[in-house]
């Protein structure tokens, strides 16, 4: 579904991604784990075309998306829920959700999708008139995921959805990710919460200082000595 | 000074303030979406004034009716400016953006000087100096009409921004450009649209004051400064702030001209401006965005 081939990227003179090879197949949950600054978010920014890759190819459903603009990537069904939620602060919960169905292909399913995400996140329904900027971190994360779902994504990119959340919210978010996947949305997850994310992943990649150093199924990596030592403190 | 003179100046201040608000709203939309301060704003207004002047003198179209032509033309003018020039500097340093907009403004005012000379032009309509009388207070007819048109445009714009998908997408772009991109919003197009709307507001303001103001190529610079004061006073990026700012500046100018003297009105305006910023540095409406 998504194939990344020899992706290189630099911020100015500093190269942050080195020959990244990565694939996501339809129906999977794939995770990229790695420490702070290892290049996880930058990889997602390249996929969403918020930045332009230096070299390498990004293909989505057989189409090269290197030369597309971000909004065109979204129209293809490749949607990112960004790190730090990035909720529209001066818009209500409902307005935020409706912005999620701005693209033409998502407009006809707008009302049905609002109902769908309200069932998934009852708390958002209760707070639908509240301004996005006034919600708690966990609620904003729910809203960010719900807003992403409003676009009818085929592949959902999730950047650090559990960052800064209380253990209860972390548990809810990981359950929700699995539920979304069961409903037919392929997931590419980027996480620092290595244990939780590997547990729910079909496959995973380990990113270190901009290079992929390991890959395998979630359970393989959970029992890998390097992963245990570097991320799980075992 | 009698009470009726004061009331008189309050009313005409409000009416002028409405047009100021329109100029401020244009600047604040452009700033809100692009984070670019448009130093050519007053010059865009000047283009609107000349457009109105020639529509009137050459084709005999009433200035207030000509808003229907001026507004879409100025929208296209601004949209083109954004597409050709401003879109290129959106990620550039602020000083480069300032240089670009100042430069564009200079080109406009000097082109106008070249084409129309720097003579003052006056647009005189049959109702230019007529007024309504209400309990001893006279209300200038052109000012009243322009105020009503301003109100209608402001309400319409507010409705567009709050109730339509495109309007909401403009707000989304202003609130978080990157998140807007991730929702499939073409932010470059939204920028073109916003600069178009901002220019249409400035051009319309130009059309509305054309019957009561001198028209000359350098008329813009004073209004750029005024627009800047209005938006900073109200809070950069806030439409309600700009509306409030415009009316306050209009009122202060008018009331201080009668109570002190008209040479002192700018001093009073800037004193109040500085005072507000001292107490509330982010402006009256604070950091709120579109």
């Amino acid at each position: 579904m998504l194939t990344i081939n020899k992706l290189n990227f630099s911020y100015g003179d500093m190269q942050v991604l080195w020959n990244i090879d990565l694939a996501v197949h339809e129906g999977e949950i794939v995770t990229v784990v790695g420490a702070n600054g290892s290049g996880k978010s930058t990889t997602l920014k390249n996929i969403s075309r918020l930045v332009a890759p230096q070299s390498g190819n990004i293909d989505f459903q057989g189409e090269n998306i290197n030369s597309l603009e971000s909004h065109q990537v979204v129209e293809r069904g490749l949607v990112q829920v960004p790190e730090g939620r990035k909720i529209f602060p001066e818009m209500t919960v409902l307005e935020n959700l409706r912005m999620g169905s701005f693209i033409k292909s998502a407009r006809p399913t707008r009302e049905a999708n609002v109902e769908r995400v309200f069932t998934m996140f009852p708390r958002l329904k209760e707070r639908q008139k509240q301004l996005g900027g006034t919600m708690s971190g966990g609620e904003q994360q729910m809203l960010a995921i719900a807003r992403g779902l409003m676009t009818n994504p085929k592949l959902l990119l999730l950047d650090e959805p559990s960052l800064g959340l209380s253990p209860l919210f972390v548990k809810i978010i990981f359950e929700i990710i699995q539920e979304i996947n069961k409903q037919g949305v392929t997931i590419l997850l980027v996480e620092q919460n290595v244990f939780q994310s590997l547990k729910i992943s079909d496959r995973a990649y380990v990113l270190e200082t901009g290079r992929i150093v390991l890959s395998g199924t979630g359970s393989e990596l959970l029992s890998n000595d390097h992963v245990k030592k570097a991320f799980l403190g075992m | 000074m009698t009470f009726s003179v004061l009331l008189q100046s309050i009313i005409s201040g409000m009416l002028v303030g409405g047009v100021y608000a329109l100029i401020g709203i244009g600047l604040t939309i452009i700033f809100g979406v692009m984070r670019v301060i448009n130093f050519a704003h007053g010059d865009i207004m000047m283009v609107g004034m000349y457009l109105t002047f020639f529509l009137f003198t050459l084709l005999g179209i009433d200035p207030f009716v000509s808003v229907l032509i001026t507004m879409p033309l100025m929208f296209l003018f601004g949209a083109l400016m954004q597409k050709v020039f401003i879109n290129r500097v959106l990620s550039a340093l602020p000083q480069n953006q300032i240089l670009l907009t100042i430069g564009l403004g200079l080109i406009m005012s000097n082109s106008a000087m070249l084409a129309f000379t720097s003579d003052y032009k006056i647009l005189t309509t049959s109702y230019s100096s007529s007024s309504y009388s209400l309990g001893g207070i006279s209300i200038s007819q052109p000012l009243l009409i322009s105020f009503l048109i301003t109100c209608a445009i402001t309400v319409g714009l507010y409705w567009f921004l709050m109730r339509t998908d495109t309007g909401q997408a403009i707000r989304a772009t202003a609130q978080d450009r990157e998140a807007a991109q991730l929702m499939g919003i073409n932010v470059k197009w939204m920028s073109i649209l916003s600069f178009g709307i901002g220019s249409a507001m400035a051009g319309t303001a130009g059309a509305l004051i054309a019957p009561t103001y001198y028209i000359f190529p350098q008329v813009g610079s004073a209004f750029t400064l005024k627009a800047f004061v209005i938006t900073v006073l109200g809070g950069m990026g806030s439409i309600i702030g700009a509306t409030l700012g415009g009316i306050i500046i209009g009122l202060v100018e008018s009331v201080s001209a009668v109570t002190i003297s008209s040479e002192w009105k700018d001093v009073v305006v800037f004193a109040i401006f500085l005072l507000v910023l001292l107490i509330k540095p982010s402006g009256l409406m604070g950091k709120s965005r579109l």
Side-chain angles (χ1 to χ4, degrees):
Chain A
M1 190 175 210
L2 178 76
T3 319
I4 300 178
N5 215 323
K6 300 253 172 306
L7 173 68
N8 285 285
F9 178 78
S10 309
Y11 282 116
D13 289 335
M14 195 178 69
Q15 183 154 2
V16 284
L17 296 180
W18 305 77
N19 288 322
I20 301 286
D21 285 322
L22 188 152
V24 182
H25 307 299
E26 194 153 358
E28 281 186 321
I29 298 182
V30 174
T31 302
V32 178
V33 295
N36 236 340
S38 58
K40 304 184 301 290
S41 294
T42 308
T43 306
L44 291 195
K45 280 196 169 135
N46 272 275
I47 300 173
S48 285
R49 297 289 293 109
L50 289 174
V51 294
Q54 220 150 41
S55 67
N57 276 317
I58 305 175
D59 294 317
F60 182 63
Q61 295 192 309
E63 181 192 10
N64 187 297
I65 58 168
N66 279 41
S67 57
L68 296 186
E69 298 206 36
S70 340
H71 65 98
Q72 295 172 311
V73 173
V74 177
E75 282 162 7
R76 303 291 192 279
L78 181 45
V79 180
Q80 181 182 158
V81 177
E83 184 183 351
R85 342 324 167 189
K86 288 189 163 285
I87 295 302
F88 301 118
E90 304 279 330
M91 287 191 185
T92 65
V93 169
L94 190 61
E95 284 176 323
N96 264 283
L97 290 175
R98 292 176 67 84
M99 266 300 100
S101 51
F102 177 76
I103 55 170
K104 279 207 175 63
S105 61
R107 300 251 179 115
T109 52
R110 175 176 273 173
E111 305 310 325
N113 274 340
V114 168
E115 285 313 309
R116 185 178 140 216
V117 298
F118 277 166
T119 327
M120 208 179 247
F121 305 97
R123 198 185 290 236
L124 294 184
K125 188 174 186 175
E126 289 162 27
R127 312 238 154 155
Q128 54 179 301
K129 296 228 168 75
Q130 195 176 327
L131 285 184
T134 63
M135 305 223 294
S136 77
E139 289 164 348
Q140 286 194 2
Q141 187 60 57
M142 288 178 170
L143 178 54
I145 293 176
R147 188 180 61 178
L149 288 175
M150 293 292 296
T151 58
N152 294 327
K154 292 179 184 132
L155 172 57
L156 194 63
L157 312 172
L158 294 160
D159 195 355
E160 307 265 16
S162 77
L163 193 70
L165 300 189
S166 68
L168 176 67
F169 268 118
V170 172
K171 189 167 166 282
I172 296 174
I173 294 294
F174 276 102
E175 282 169 7
I176 287 289
I177 294 171
Q178 286 176 289
E179 191 186 323
I180 294 168
N181 181 246
K182 281 204 191 84
Q183 291 176 6
V185 181
T186 310
I187 307 266
L188 177 58
L189 176 66
V190 153
E191 261 295 342
Q192 287 191 53
N193 190 332
V194 176
F195 182 67
Q196 289 270 20
S197 48
L198 287 183
K199 253 186 15 188
I200 65 161
S201 300
D202 295 303
R203 291 185 308 108
Y205 295 85
V206 178
L207 201 57
E208 277 178 17
T209 56
R211 293 178 177 83
I212 286 179
V213 293
L214 268 178
S215 65
T217 64
S219 47
E220 269 169 21
L221 289 184
L222 268 177
S223 54
N224 179 286
D225 283 339
H226 179 74
V227 173
K228 276 185 182 170
K229 225 188 344 208
F231 299 109
L232 302 174
M234 291 196 243
Chain B
M1 188 194 59
T2 60
F3 176 72
S4 72
V5 174
L6 185 67
L7 199 64
Q8 172 81 59
S9 70
I10 287 175
I11 287 172
S12 43
M14 286 269 296
L15 297 182
V16 174
V19 182
Y20 287 175
L22 206 55
I23 305 171
I25 290 170
L27 192 71
T28 222
I29 284 183
I30 291 171
F31 177 79
V33 174
M34 260 90 66
R35 305 277 129 184
V36 168
I37 298 167
N38 177 25
F39 280 97
H41 207 64
D43 299 296
I44 293 173
M45 192 202 82
M46 175 272 298
V47 175
M49 285 176 97
Y50 271 100
L51 204 59
T52 310
F53 177 78
F54 286 113
L55 282 172
F56 179 72
T57 50
L58 301 180
L59 300 173
I61 301 174
D62 181 271
F64 293 125
V65 177
S66 74
V67 166
L68 293 173
I69 303 165
T70 313
M71 200 154 51
L73 279 181
M74 293 309 290
F75 173 86
L76 289 178
F77 182 74
L80 197 72
M81 238 172 92
Q82 175 70 27
K83 187 165 169 48
V84 179
F85 300 106
I86 319 273
N87 258 348
R88 292 170 202 269
V89 299
L90 282 188
S91 47
L93 296 166
Q95 57 265 41
N96 295 355
Q97 300 172 337
I98 290 172
L99 278 177
L100 177 66
T101 56
I102 289 179
L104 288 169
L106 282 175
I107 290 172
M108 280 183 248
S109 59
N110 283 284
S111 305
M113 196 149 53
L114 208 61
F116 315 125
T117 75
S118 37
D119 291 349
Y120 282 35
K121 290 186 166 50
I122 300 168
L123 197 164
T124 319
T125 56
S126 54
Y127 51 78
S128 270
S129 50
S130 62
S131 57
Y132 301 108
S133 188
L134 197 83
I137 293 155
S138 75
I139 301 168
S140 149
Q141 194 180 337
L143 275 183
L144 182 68
I145 299 172
S146 69
F147 182 78
L148 293 177
I149 295 176
T150 299
C151 290
I153 290 172
T154 309
V155 169
L157 181 69
Y158 205 73
W159 176 86
F160 167 74
L161 287 172
M162 303 306 281
R163 289 278 173 269
T164 66
D165 272 317
T166 311
Q168 290 279 32
I170 288 177
R171 293 179 63 217
T173 309
Q175 289 176 25
D176 194 321
R177 201 174 178 86
E178 199 171 280
Q181 281 176 283
L182 292 176
M183 290 299 105
I185 295 168
N186 184 348
V187 292
K188 274 191 190 145
W189 172 237
M190 291 307 148
S191 303
I192 291 171
L193 217 53
S194 310
F195 210 97
I197 293 171
S199 302
M201 296 294 126
T204 306
L208 294 180
I209 60 168
T212 46
Y213 219 88
Y214 294 116
I215 303 166
F216 57 102
Q218 285 81 22
V219 68
S221 56
F223 280 94
T224 300
L225 183 64
K226 210 162 267 181
F228 190 65
V229 169
I230 288 164
T231 46
V232 173
L233 184 71
M236 295 291 277
S238 161
I239 290 186
I240 296 172
T243 312
L244 216 60
I247 294 193
I248 290 173
I249 298 292
L251 272 176
V252 170
E253 275 187 357
S254 165
V255 172
S256 58
V258 271
T259 51
I260 308 168
S261 85
S262 59
E263 294 100 68
W264 280 85
K265 68 176 188 185
D266 283 339
V267 176
V268 180
V269 165
F270 284 105
I272 286 183
F273 174 61
L274 289 176
L275 206 66
V276 170
L277 287 193
L278 272 176
I279 299 161
K280 208 158 180 296
S282 54
L284 290 171
M285 297 305 290
K287 265 204 300 193
S288 73
R289 299 201 182 133
L290 287 183

